Amino acid sequence: MSNVHSCAMSPIVLDIPAATLEELRVRRSKRKSPPAGATDRPILTTVEMVQRLGAIDPSSLAKAFCEDMDRLQAEVEDEYDAFLLDPGMGPMTYITTDGRILNDYRTWDGEGIQFETSLDRVVASLVVGAEKTGVASLLNLIPALENGVPCTTCNGTRWFKLQNGEIVCPTCSGRGECPNA
Ligand SMILES: [Zn+2]
């Protein structure tokens, strides 16, 4: 039997300090309650929403979408002991108590739940999560680069300015530093 282990496809696992977990738990305990009542309506995806724009009143579509997000947030946070990092317009992104980044694609294109295997995307999720949750210590989970030098694209700020707003720096994935070439 081969003992080759495909590390490239394994989820990245972070070690979350107790203080950061506590901050995340306090924040989660204040989350909005999901809507009561029947929940047999299929989850509305962003892709479907765009397809149905024009056919249905946009405000009722938006309301259904937000209800789905609240419902899925409660479900994933309880089932996986996870914390929402980014409701996003793509997948909803969470960090689990055991240190994995979880992407829930059900509100995006109807795909299911996947654990993140790319370190670059884990770093970017932590940067966005720290910003959106206000739990700044999430940034401490980003593994430091050995011999890293400040990223010249974002000047170490982790963010890249666009005309309308900013995105996580595409050069360094939000580390703020790059390997010393
Ligand atoms: Zn950068």
Side-chain angles (χ1 to χ4, degrees):
M1 202 173 117
S2 158
N3 70 354
V4 172
H5 180 72
S6 174
C7 289
M9 295 306 292
S10 302
I12 308 286
V13 181
L14 303 161
D15 193 14
I16 311 179
T20 300
L21 265 185
E22 186 52 31
E23 263 189 276
L24 290 166
R25 287 209 173 96
V26 167
R27 194 171 177 280
R28 181 172 67 184
S29 69
K30 296 174 189 158
R31 84 176 170 217
K32 234 189 302 177
S33 314
T39 54
D40 359 323
R41 180 173 56 73
I43 300 293
L44 183 64
T45 68
T46 306
V47 173
E48 284 168 347
M49 191 158 72
V50 170
Q51 284 165 352
R52 286 157 69 178
L53 276 179
I56 306 181
D57 168 29
S59 67
S60 70
L61 269 185
K63 180 169 176 283
F65 189 71
C66 291
E67 284 176 2
D68 286 348
M69 288 180 71
D70 291 344
R71 173 150 57 100
L72 291 175
Q73 180 183 352
E75 178 192 312
V76 171
E77 286 188 334
D78 293 346
E79 187 170 332
Y80 292 88
D81 195 3
F83 310 92
L84 183 66
L85 292 179
D86 184 12
M89 277 304 288
M92 292 173 76
T93 302
Y94 302 80
I95 188 165
T96 61
T97 294
D98 61 6
R100 291 174 295 169
I101 299 292
L102 181 160
N103 292 314
D104 183 351
Y105 290 88
R106 287 175 294 178
T107 50
W108 173 237
D109 53 12
E111 291 292 317
I113 286 172
Q114 287 167 22
F115 291 102
E116 189 54 76
T117 57
S118 150
L119 182 58
D120 282 350
R121 286 197 295 267
V122 164
V123 170
S125 298
L126 291 169
V127 171
V128 171
E131 176 80 12
K132 297 213 171 169
T133 62
V135 179
S137 61
L138 285 168
L139 296 175
N140 299 337
L141 304 182
I142 298 173
L145 290 176
E146 278 180 49
N147 302 318
V149 293
C151 171
T152 52
T153 303
C154 65
N155 295 315
T157 65
R158 308 180 191 275
W159 295 91
F160 183 74
K161 286 194 185 2
L162 301 173
Q163 209 168 356
N164 305 306
E166 49 186 11
I167 56 170
V168 170
C169 176
T171 303
C172 64
S173 299
R175 285 181 180 83
E177 54 177 8
C178 293
N180 196 350

